[in-house]
Amino acid sequence: MPKTELDTFDRRIVVALQADGRLSNVELAERIGLSPSPCLRRVKRLEREGYIDGYRAILQRKRIGPGFTVFLGIKIGGHADDEAITFEKGVTEMPEVIACHMVSGDIDYLLEVVVPDLEHYERFLLGKLLAFPIVKEVRSNIAIQTLKAASPLSLDHLA
């Protein structure tokens, strides 16, 4: 596990920004107990050093439209060749794939795919994913209900 180099104020900053990424610098500074100038310098450093990757809105999928979530276990035919690199690049560029993890165990990759409905999923699976010759097996698990998603990263266990 990588060792974190965040001090108390850095931790307060990232926790506050995970809870509300729209905080102004003045609001953030008040919340964490710093004046605005050092707070802004710390935020800029955290961004520059890659601790803060970006800011985004969390959308309600059911309100937007694409509320059909499928988790796919992918088994491929090899890892150390150009086909594997092409697969990884292709999958990470697909807008339907909102998360992709290389994992250990019975499968090689775990993908989270969000599409409007089963018909769109079928087109994605047959028309895009299975177009990669390296894909040997796909196990689809349709999400029935989402109990927790897009949660902030807890820093408590890293102290």
Side-chain angles (χ1 to χ4, degrees), residues 56-69 98 114-115 146-150:
R56 52 185 65 89
I58 300 169
L59 305 177
Q60 286 293 329
R61 294 178 191 172
K62 289 180 182 178
R63 300 271 323 213
I64 300 297
F68 193 80
T69 302
I98 64 165
V114 178
V115 291
T146 300
L147 304 176
K148 183 178 181 180

Side-chain angles (χ1 to χ4, degrees), residues 14 29 31 78 81 83 93 103 106 113-114 134 146 154:
V14 296
R31 197 169 288 184
D81 61 12
E83 269 190 304
E93 290 176 355
V103 296
D106 294 341
V113 172
V114 178
I134 198 169
T146 300
S154 172

Side-chain angles (χ1 to χ4, degrees), residues 7 9 16 19 24 28 33 37 53 70 72 74-75 83 86 90 99 104 118-120 129 139 148 154-155 158:
D7 67 16
F9 286 112
S24 71
L28 178 61
S37 292
D53 192 32
V70 184
L72 295 110
I74 309 291
K75 198 172 199 69
E83 269 190 304
T86 300
S104 65
L118 185 58
E119 183 181 326
H120 282 83
L129 193 61
R139 295 180 191 166
K148 183 178 181 180
S154 172
L155 301 181
L158 301 175

Side-chain angles (χ1 to χ4, degrees), residues 14 17-19 21 28 36 40 48 72 81 99 105 112 119-120 135 140-141 145 147 150-151 154 159:
V14 296
L17 288 176
Q18 282 187 107
L28 178 61
L40 183 59
R48 187 177 57 252
L72 295 110
D81 61 12
E112 183 176 0
E119 183 181 326
H120 282 83
V135 174
S140 301
N141 296 283
Q145 181 181 23
L147 304 176
S151 297
S154 172

Side-chain angles (χ1 to χ4, degrees), residues 36-125:
S37 292
C39 180
L40 183 59
R41 281 194 298 273
R42 283 175 176 267
V43 169
K44 294 298 182 192
R45 180 183 51 78
L46 290 167
E47 292 170 348
R48 187 177 57 252
E49 292 178 359
Y51 289 99
I52 298 173
D53 192 32
Y55 302 89
R56 52 185 65 89
I58 300 169
L59 305 177
Q60 286 293 329
R61 294 178 191 172
K62 289 180 182 178
R63 300 271 323 213
I64 300 297
F68 193 80
T69 302
V70 184
F71 295 92
L72 295 110
I74 309 291
K75 198 172 199 69
I76 64 171
H79 287 278
D81 61 12
D82 291 339
E83 269 190 304
I85 294 168
T86 300
F87 169 78
E88 289 179 357
K89 185 175 182 335
V91 166
T92 58
E93 290 176 355
M94 293 177 183
E96 300 91 345
V97 178
I98 64 165
C100 177
H101 306 274
M102 182 186 286
V103 296
S104 65
D106 294 341
I107 59 172
D108 298 309
Y109 294 90
L110 180 63
L111 278 57
E112 183 176 0
V113 172
V114 178
V115 291
D117 52 34
L118 185 58
E119 183 181 326
H120 282 83
Y121 174 65
E122 181 182 6
R123 285 200 304 265
F124 166 80
L125 179 64

